[in-house]
mmCIF file of all heavy atoms in Angstrom:
data_model
loop_
_atom_site.group_PDB
_atom_site.id
_atom_site.type_symbol
_atom_site.label_atom_id
_atom_site.label_comp_id
_atom_site.label_asym_id
_atom_site.label_seq_id
_atom_site.Cartn_x
_atom_site.Cartn_y
_atom_site.Cartn_z
ATOM 1 N N LEU N 259 -40.080 -79.902 12.778
ATOM 2 C CA LEU N 259 -40.104 -78.547 13.323
ATOM 3 C C LEU N 259 -41.300 -78.543 14.279
ATOM 4 O O LEU N 259 -42.454 -78.611 13.846
ATOM 5 C CB LEU N 259 -40.306 -77.537 12.189
ATOM 6 C CG LEU N 259 -40.668 -76.116 12.572
ATOM 7 C CD1 LEU N 259 -39.574 -75.467 13.405
ATOM 8 C CD2 LEU N 259 -40.901 -75.273 11.314
ATOM 9 N N VAL N 260 -41.012 -78.500 15.581
ATOM 10 C CA VAL N 260 -42.084 -78.681 16.577
ATOM 11 C C VAL N 260 -42.529 -77.328 17.127
ATOM 12 O O VAL N 260 -41.687 -76.480 17.456
ATOM 13 C CB VAL N 260 -41.581 -79.571 17.741
ATOM 14 C CG1 VAL N 260 -42.632 -79.663 18.846
ATOM 15 C CG2 VAL N 260 -41.228 -80.963 17.232
ATOM 16 N N ALA N 261 -43.831 -77.147 17.229
ATOM 17 C CA ALA N 261 -44.388 -75.970 17.914
ATOM 18 C C ALA N 261 -45.466 -76.468 18.877
ATOM 19 O O ALA N 261 -45.893 -77.628 18.805
ATOM 20 C CB ALA N 261 -44.974 -74.998 16.899
ATOM 21 N N PHE N 262 -45.910 -75.586 19.780
ATOM 22 C CA PHE N 262 -46.843 -75.998 20.833
ATOM 23 C C PHE N 262 -47.984 -74.991 20.911
ATOM 24 O O PHE N 262 -47.734 -73.778 20.903
ATOM 25 C CB PHE N 262 -46.082 -76.083 22.160
ATOM 26 C CG PHE N 262 -46.915 -76.479 23.335
ATOM 27 C CD1 PHE N 262 -47.816 -77.534 23.264
ATOM 28 C CD2 PHE N 262 -46.785 -75.805 24.550
ATOM 29 C CE1 PHE N 262 -48.577 -77.906 24.362
ATOM 30 C CE2 PHE N 262 -47.531 -76.168 25.655
ATOM 31 C CZ PHE N 262 -48.430 -77.224 25.554
ATOM 32 N N ALA N 263 -49.205 -75.506 20.994
ATOM 33 C CA ALA N 263 -50.370 -74.612 21.036
ATOM 34 C C ALA N 263 -50.584 -73.990 22.416
ATOM 35 O O ALA N 263 -51.313 -73.007 22.543
ATOM 36 C CB ALA N 263 -51.625 -75.392 20.614
ATOM 37 N N GLY N 264 -49.943 -74.539 23.454
ATOM 38 C CA GLY N 264 -50.190 -74.053 24.817
ATOM 39 C C GLY N 264 -49.413 -72.803 25.161
ATOM 40 O O GLY N 264 -49.928 -71.901 25.834
ATOM 41 N N GLU N 265 -48.154 -72.717 24.710
ATOM 42 C CA GLU N 265 -47.282 -71.577 25.004
ATOM 43 C C GLU N 265 -46.307 -71.425 23.839
ATOM 44 O O GLU N 265 -46.098 -72.379 23.078
ATOM 45 C CB GLU N 265 -46.490 -71.811 26.297
ATOM 46 C CG GLU N 265 -47.316 -71.650 27.557
ATOM 47 C CD GLU N 265 -46.458 -71.811 28.799
ATOM 48 O OE1 GLU N 265 -45.872 -70.807 29.250
ATOM 49 O OE2 GLU N 265 -46.374 -72.935 29.310
ATOM 50 N N PRO N 266 -45.657 -70.245 23.727
ATOM 51 C CA PRO N 266 -44.741 -70.066 22.599
ATOM 52 C C PRO N 266 -43.605 -71.092 22.619
ATOM 53 O O PRO N 266 -42.971 -71.291 23.659
ATOM 54 C CB PRO N 266 -44.182 -68.653 22.799
ATOM 55 C CG PRO N 266 -45.189 -67.968 23.658
ATOM 56 C CD PRO N 266 -45.790 -69.025 24.531
ATOM 57 N N LEU N 267 -43.373 -71.738 21.498
ATOM 58 C CA LEU N 267 -42.282 -72.716 21.396
ATOM 59 C C LEU N 267 -42.051 -73.086 19.942
ATOM 60 O O LEU N 267 -43.007 -73.323 19.195
ATOM 61 C CB LEU N 267 -42.643 -74.003 22.157
ATOM 62 C CG LEU N 267 -41.560 -75.096 22.116
ATOM 63 C CD1 LEU N 267 -40.367 -74.718 22.984
ATOM 64 C CD2 LEU N 267 -42.112 -76.445 22.565
ATOM 65 N N THR N 268 -40.781 -73.114 19.535
ATOM 66 C CA THR N 268 -40.386 -73.868 18.337
ATOM 67 C C THR N 268 -39.133 -74.648 18.737
ATOM 68 O O THR N 268 -38.292 -74.150 19.485
ATOM 69 C CB THR N 268 -40.053 -72.990 17.108
ATOM 70 O OG1 THR N 268 -38.992 -72.094 17.439
ATOM 71 C CG2 THR N 268 -41.256 -72.221 16.609
ATOM 72 N N VAL N 269 -39.041 -75.884 18.244
ATOM 73 C CA VAL N 269 -37.856 -76.714 18.493
ATOM 74 C C VAL N 269 -37.499 -77.414 17.187
ATOM 75 O O VAL N 269 -38.387 -77.927 16.488
ATOM 76 C CB VAL N 269 -38.127 -77.789 19.571
ATOM 77 C CG1 VAL N 269 -36.858 -78.594 19.847
ATOM 78 C CG2 VAL N 269 -38.641 -77.163 20.864
ATOM 79 N N LYS N 270 -36.218 -77.430 16.882
ATOM 80 C CA LYS N 270 -35.743 -78.210 15.725
ATOM 81 C C LYS N 270 -34.333 -78.658 16.037
ATOM 82 O O LYS N 270 -33.652 -78.064 16.881
ATOM 83 C CB LYS N 270 -35.798 -77.386 14.442
ATOM 84 C CG LYS N 270 -34.818 -76.243 14.400
ATOM 85 C CD LYS N 270 -35.071 -75.326 13.245
ATOM 86 C CE LYS N 270 -36.314 -74.479 13.414
ATOM 87 N NZ LYS N 270 -36.197 -73.438 14.485
ATOM 88 N N GLN N 271 -33.887 -79.710 15.365
ATOM 89 C CA GLN N 271 -32.523 -80.181 15.583
ATOM 90 C C GLN N 271 -31.714 -79.924 14.326
ATOM 91 O O GLN N 271 -32.160 -80.250 13.219
ATOM 92 C CB GLN N 271 -32.533 -81.678 15.929
ATOM 93 C CG GLN N 271 -31.198 -82.172 16.438
ATOM 94 C CD GLN N 271 -31.273 -83.534 17.113
ATOM 95 O OE1 GLN N 271 -32.310 -84.202 17.078
ATOM 96 N NE2 GLN N 271 -30.186 -83.940 17.737
ATOM 97 N N SER N 272 -30.545 -79.338 14.503
ATOM 98 C CA SER N 272 -29.727 -78.998 13.332
ATOM 99 C C SER N 272 -29.057 -80.245 12.777
ATOM 100 O O SER N 272 -29.015 -81.299 13.426
ATOM 101 C CB SER N 272 -28.653 -77.981 13.721
ATOM 102 O OG SER N 272 -27.623 -78.645 14.420
ATOM 103 N N ALA N 273 -28.499 -80.102 11.586
ATOM 104 C CA ALA N 273 -27.800 -81.224 10.947
ATOM 105 C C ALA N 273 -26.652 -81.720 11.827
ATOM 106 O O ALA N 273 -26.257 -82.878 11.746
ATOM 107 C CB ALA N 273 -27.275 -80.772 9.588
ATOM 108 N N HIS N 274 -26.115 -80.856 12.679
ATOM 109 C CA HIS N 274 -24.968 -81.229 13.524
ATOM 110 C C HIS N 274 -25.382 -81.740 14.890
ATOM 111 O O HIS N 274 -24.532 -82.045 15.718
ATOM 112 C CB HIS N 274 -24.028 -80.035 13.668
ATOM 113 C CG HIS N 274 -23.686 -79.444 12.341
ATOM 114 N ND1 HIS N 274 -22.842 -80.062 11.455
ATOM 115 C CD2 HIS N 274 -24.147 -78.336 11.699
ATOM 116 C CE1 HIS N 274 -22.765 -79.350 10.344
ATOM 117 N NE2 HIS N 274 -23.554 -78.310 10.471
#
Side-chain angles (χ1 to χ4, degrees):
L259 167 62
V260 175
F262 179 45
E265 285 183 87
L267 180 72
T268 58
V269 182
K270 68 190 72 69
Q271 192 165 8
S272 76
H274 309 287

